[in-house]
Amino acid sequence: MIEILSPSNLKRDLEEKRQIYSTYGVHEYWIVDPEAKSVAILTQQGAGLESWQRFAANAALSSPLLPGLQIELTDIFPA
């Protein structure tokens, strides 16, 4: 699941949707923050979705669920 944060819905995106996705067994949840130019990846750990790693704009994103996937965030968030 990939969520792009919206300033008007931060609480819903970060809290409510995380709980819903966790309840329904989403294995990996990406939170894209266009303002911070970052992507946080949460993975299903024990009782719910927990933070796995946060990638800054100059990093290459990788996914534990999708081995071999690599996305240069400079392609997503141009300077």
Side-chain angles (χ1 to χ4, degrees), residues 35-46:
E35 288 189 23
K37 295 184 177 184
S38 67
V39 178
I41 295 182
L42 291 76
T43 59
Q44 198 63 251
Q45 299 177 30

Side-chain angles (χ1 to χ4, degrees), residues 1-67:
M1 179 68 62
I2 299 174
E3 189 76 48
I4 300 173
L5 293 180
S6 168
S8 62
N9 292 327
L10 283 179
K11 180 179 171 67
R12 179 168 163 69
D13 291 344
L14 293 173
E15 295 175 18
E16 295 173 28
K17 288 183 180 180
R18 178 181 180 173
Q19 182 60 42
I20 291 167
Y21 299 151
S22 182
T23 299
Y24 287 96
V26 168
H27 295 284
E28 195 168 283
Y29 179 33
W30 296 14
I31 300 173
V32 179
D33 186 340
E35 288 189 23
K37 295 184 177 184
S38 67
V39 178
I41 295 182
L42 291 76
T43 59
Q44 198 63 251
Q45 299 177 30
L49 288 164
E50 298 294 332
S51 181
W52 177 73
Q53 191 163 351
R54 182 183 176 104
F55 299 90
N58 60 349
L61 178 147
S62 60
S63 162
L65 186 65
L66 304 167

